[in-house]
Each structure stands twice: as C-alpha cells, then as structure tokens.
C-alpha cells in the first residue's frame, strides 16, 4: 500500500489521470491525498470533482481558496471572475450534490505514515501552517471553520470570509474577522511582513519579493519537530521548492503550463506529469 499526495489539480483532469497511471494507483489498495484547489483555471474542473466524488471514501482532500470561491459562487455570495473556468461545474446537474459534498471536506488532514523507516506525522493543508500555531491551534481553528462551512446556514459564512483584512490576530474585532483571518492563513498564506501581518498581495517568486516579505516556512514553526512533516500546495511560483526537508510544496503549476506533482510518502519519491496539449 502506498500513499500519494497530489498538488493543485485546478481542473487538469488529463494530467491527473496520467499521473495516477504512472504511479500505478490502485483505488482499492493505495491512499490518495489532495492538497486542495481541485477546480478553476484549468479546463476540466467538473471531471476532477466527479472523479474524486466517485472515490470519496478512499481519498483525503483539504479545501483550497479556489474551491471556496466555487462554493461562494454556488451559494450566491461571490461573482465569477473573468479568469474563472468553472462553467462546466456551474452548469452541471450534479452541482448541488458536489457542493454539499465539498462543504463537508476539511481544511486539514493529519495522519501518521511510515516513511523511510520512521513513523512521521504528516500535516496537510492548502497553504501551510502559520509558524505560531501549535497542533492544537490548527485542529481547533480548522474544525471551527468546517463547522461553519458544513452548517446548512453556510451562506452567511461564505458572505463574510472573502477579503484580505484583518491581517493580524490582534486586529480582529469580531468572530467573523477572526474566521476570515484563519481561513486566509490556511488557504491563502504565502508571505509575512516584518510586523507579522499576512501579506496577500504578492504571489511571486521569493527572489522577486520585496525585502520586507518572508515566506511563512522561513520562520521557526511550533508544529514541526523531527517526526512531523508539512504538505501544502497553493504556491506555484515555488516550483516545488522550499529548501526544507520536512516541508513539501506540491503545487507545481500544471494549470499554468508547468506540471502536476505527486509525492509518495512511504519513500518520498516524486512523480510528475507535464502539462498536456
Ligand atoms: Mn490556492
């Protein structure tokens, strides 16, 4: 049995299937984890969602910002952007079933896997884990977000969680502001500014970043130790590189013409499929 963790699909269904063939993925024996952003920008979001729904009992998926954007559109709290490629999902007769299922997906997945002979606790979210968060913080905040999202009254939640501010915990003046900041930490984080605030504007390469910005994984992390390992997607400009042995960046920008990546946790082998067509 092997565990494959795959980076942001963003509608790249053909590459996803080719990658599963390459690793000889067995639906009944192997485990499949996805680090979020299943939809948008790529050509076949509906096929990605429908396939994952069909094997939902055998895979672990965390939500990404594009997945939340889709849910926001479906619930009427967001307008589609010009760059969106979500029509296939929005026009599907399965849209409500898929949305109800997506709303039950978590914001994190934590599981121990024997990797290179050692039992390692893998922690997967879409964007990473803020350095100041302990494991208890992550569990509590992630589960609180899920509680609101999976509630039948999630419309009110989705109406209020989009936005770049507040970007510091001590600037949150209400529960909804705190929830918005936490959802941004888990699903959109890349850089922190010198004052500790979350910068959500600059998305590029570290080499091009303004001097005052530092990637979240360059700060000392409270959740990491010699037996933990963080898995995240979201940040295609990293091209899979963090420079850290126990922090893996899995979004390698397939939707942008680069490639789709899978990491096999048991031996840390990386597989990839170049963008097709
Ligand atoms: Mn993302």
């Amino acid at each position: 049995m092997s565990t494959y963790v795959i980076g942001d699909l963003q509608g790249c269904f053909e590459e996803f299937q080719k990658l599963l063939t390459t690793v000889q993925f067995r639906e009944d024996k192997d485990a499949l984890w996805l680090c979020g952003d299943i939809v948008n920008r790529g050509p076949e979001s509906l096929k990605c969602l429908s396939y994952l729904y069909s094997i939902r009992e055998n895979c672990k998926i965390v939500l990404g910002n594009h997945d939340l954007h889709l849910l926001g559109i479906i619930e009427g709290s967001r307008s589609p952007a010009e760059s969106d490629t979500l029509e296939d999902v929005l026009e599907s007769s399965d849209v409500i079933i898929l949305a109800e299922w997506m709303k039950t997906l978590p914001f994190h997945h934590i599981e121990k896997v024997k990797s290179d002979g050692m039992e390692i606790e893998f922690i997967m979210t879409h964007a990473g884990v803020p350095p100041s968060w302990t494991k208890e913080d992550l569990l509590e905040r992630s589960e609180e977000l899920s509680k609101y999202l999976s509630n039948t009254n999630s419309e009110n939640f989705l109406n209020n969680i989009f936005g770049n501010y507040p970007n510091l915990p001590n600037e949150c003046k209400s529960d909804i502001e705190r929830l918005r900041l936490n959802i941004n930490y888990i699903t959109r984080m890349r850089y922190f500014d010198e004052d500790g605030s979350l910068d959500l504007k600059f998305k590029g390469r570290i080499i091009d970043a303004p001097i005052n910005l530092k990637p979240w994984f360059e700060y000392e992390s409270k959740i990491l130790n010699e037996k933990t390992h963080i898995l995240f997607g979201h940040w295609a400009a990293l091209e899979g590189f963090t420079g850290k042995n126990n922090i893996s960046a899995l979004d390698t920008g397939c939707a942008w013409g680069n490639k789709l990546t899978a990491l096999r946790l048991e031996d840390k082998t990386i597989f990839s499929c170049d963008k097709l067509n």
Side-chain angles (χ1 to χ4, degrees), residues 84-100:
D84 286 351
T85 57
L86 296 165
E87 296 82 1
D88 56 349
V89 183
L90 297 172
E91 288 163 12
S92 163
S93 55
D94 291 333
V95 64
I96 299 302
I97 293 171
L98 292 172
E100 288 306 312

Side-chain angles (χ1 to χ4, degrees), residues 8 37 65-66 126 187 234:
D8 305 28
D37 279 359
N65 53 309
H66 283 283
H126 181 59
T187 67
H234 184 59

Side-chain angles (χ1 to χ4, degrees), residues 144-273:
E144 185 185 29
L145 293 169
S146 294
K147 191 186 78 187
Y148 280 93
L149 183 64
S150 58
N151 192 292
T152 42
N153 197 8
S154 61
E155 195 186 316
N156 189 41
F157 175 70
L158 286 165
N159 273 334
N160 286 291
I161 47 135
F162 297 98
N164 291 356
Y165 297 96
N167 59 7
L168 269 170
N170 61 16
E171 286 176 0
C172 296
K173 295 186 183 67
S174 62
D175 278 345
I176 195 69
E177 288 194 348
R178 187 173 50 75
L179 294 168
R180 190 185 306 138
L181 178 58
N182 286 342
I183 216 164
N184 283 339
Y185 279 137
I186 299 182
T187 67
R188 296 177 61 206
M189 171 178 67
R190 289 188 183 93
Y191 291 97
F192 283 97
D193 209 330
E194 283 164 341
D195 62 356
S197 63
L198 186 60
D199 181 282
L200 292 166
K201 291 181 187 139
F202 186 72
K203 302 176 177 183
R205 300 186 302 170
I206 296 168
I207 196 170
D208 302 321
I211 190 87
N212 52 310
L213 298 183
K214 215 160 114 176
W216 64 268
F217 51 78
E218 289 297 340
Y219 295 83
E220 194 170 343
S221 161
K222 284 193 178 163
I223 210 167
L224 279 178
N225 58 50
E226 66 283 356
K227 289 188 171 169
T228 54
H229 189 126
I230 295 177
L231 307 162
F232 73 106
H234 184 59
W235 194 346
L238 293 175
E239 297 184 347
F241 183 78
T242 66
K244 315 277 175 197
N245 286 333
N246 54 358
I247 307 181
S248 298
L250 295 165
D251 180 9
T252 44
C254 195
W256 307 107
N258 198 357
K259 60 188 177 181
L260 188 66
T261 290
L263 173 68
R264 183 164 61 202
L265 297 185
E266 284 75 8
D267 60 3
K268 309 262 175 67
T269 302
I270 291 173
F271 303 86
S272 65
C273 174

